Amino acid sequence: MDFYFFHLMPWPHLPADFDTAHRSAWVTFPNKYYDPERGQRLYERYLDELEYAEELGFEGICVNEHHQSTYGIMPSPNIMAAALARRTSRVRIAILGNALPLRDHPLRVAEEVAMLDVMTGGRIISGFVRGIGAEYHSFSMSPAASRERFLEAHDLIIRAWTEEGPFPFEGKHYKLRYVNVWPRPLQKPHPPIWIPSQGSAETAEWAAQRRYPYMKVYSPIQTIKRVYDEYRGYCEKFGYRCPPSQLGWLAPIYVGETDR
């Protein structure tokens, strides 16, 4: 499947002393350099390009999540997906993805993604991620518990989508007397789940066990081959051969004015 994935970059006017005055374009770079009026024009441009991808024949378009960064101005991929829901009619919308450990409550993710799935007539692909290190600095959260929070949030969301409610959920990080999501997803048993990753062996094995498509981002081809070979090995460990549709590669592409 061919998907069009766009990072929403604000391209701020960097100060002349950027290298010495500011150590990073993430987390601590002063937001006084963000121009909301220019940002409004960029949102329109990026939404237009994602919408145009459907006209060009792409099977899907992707939105993602980053925080307090000049690298991306999409802190809520669900809002972007909602904007695209009415601007498109055929293309799949892949949310790659909601950073589960960073959300105050995964039940909100379950509700919002189910709502989007119904709004789009069943065109949502739900990606789940743990989030990279900078995101934890953004929220002043310790990454030490991110994996167990991610796994527990995943289990809660899947149950919320597939089981009739209300039912209780008693976890280490999330405790609810009533899980009773309205609306429920249109796709059954739930929207497809994709797992983008930087290559962690634990994530690859976990995704292979559940037969979730696994996506490696922005790496040399040698690294891609090594990670995918490991993932295929995990699939065989769980008794099946990995089909091509279960592997995704996010590859950066530069578009120039001419072939030269």
Side-chain angles (χ1 to χ4, degrees):
M1 300 175 70
D2 295 323
F3 277 69
Y4 184 80
F5 183 37
F6 211 116
H7 275 294
L8 272 67
M9 298 181 179
W11 302 116
H13 294 291
L14 299 181
D17 62 346
F18 169 76
D19 289 340
T20 55
H22 307 291
R23 297 177 58 192
S24 173
W26 292 72
V27 184
T28 58
F29 186 74
N31 62 7
K32 68 180 180 180
Y33 294 108
Y34 178 73
D35 180 352
E37 293 183 359
R38 190 180 186 201
Q40 189 272 333
R41 296 193 299 271
L42 285 172
Y43 278 126
E44 286 297 318
R45 171 190 162 186
Y46 293 145
L47 285 166
D48 285 346
E49 290 193 22
L50 287 163
E51 182 181 357
Y52 186 50
E54 177 177 71
E55 185 178 335
L56 293 175
F58 281 88
E59 296 171 89
I61 52 181
C62 306
V63 294
N64 74 333
E65 174 176 336
H66 285 300
H67 302 276
Q68 296 184 183
S69 166
T70 65
Y71 177 68
I73 48 173
M74 206 182 328
S76 176
N78 296 343
I79 290 179
M80 296 302 296
L84 291 164
R86 296 288 293 181
R87 296 169 65 114
T88 59
S89 59
R90 173 193 57 79
V91 75
R92 302 298 297 268
I93 301 173
I95 304 170
L96 300 178
N98 276 292
L100 299 185
L102 301 176
R103 295 294 294 262
D104 287 337
H105 215 293
L107 205 57
R108 285 296 302 270
V109 177
E111 291 175 331
E112 290 173 11
V113 175
M115 183 178 174
L116 288 166
D117 197 50
V118 174
M119 288 172 59
T120 60
R123 292 188 286 126
I124 293 296
I125 293 170
S126 180
F128 293 148
V129 297
R130 288 170 62 189
I132 61 177
E135 317 295 1
Y136 289 85
H137 286 289
S138 296
F139 288 95
S140 297
M141 291 177 63
S142 169
S146 73
R147 182 166 183 80
E148 61 183 35
R149 283 172 62 90
F150 174 87
L151 296 176
E152 187 174 312
H154 164 272
D155 292 347
L156 171 56
I157 291 170
I158 296 300
R159 289 190 60 190
W161 283 343
T162 58
E163 296 184 21
E164 292 185 0
F167 62 84
F169 183 90
E170 187 72 21
K172 177 179 178 180
H173 299 279
Y174 309 106
K175 297 175 172 60
L176 297 100
R177 294 178 63 186
Y178 307 104
V179 178
N180 192 33
V181 166
W182 285 67
R184 301 182 73 185
L186 182 63
Q187 297 180 85
K188 303 302 179 188
H190 52 72
I193 294 172
W194 290 7
I195 305 298
S197 173
Q198 291 291 344
S200 122
E202 294 86 355
T203 299
E205 182 175 14
W206 178 84
Q209 184 178 11
R210 288 155 183 80
R211 304 198 179 200
Y212 289 159
Y214 182 76
M215 309 181 70
K216 185 73 177 71
V217 299
Y218 305 149
S219 298
I221 189 65
Q222 297 86 351
T223 304
I224 295 289
K225 182 181 184 307
R226 175 182 58 79
V227 171
Y228 283 176
D229 285 346
E230 292 175 355
Y231 179 73
R232 291 186 183 97
Y234 290 129
C235 293
E236 292 176 0
K237 171 184 174 181
F238 294 112
Y240 70 99
R241 294 190 64 183
C242 173
S245 59
Q246 210 165 300
L247 294 171
W249 179 17
L250 275 64
I253 296 173
Y254 179 82
V255 180
E257 294 293 335
T258 66
D259 287 343
R260 181 180 180 184

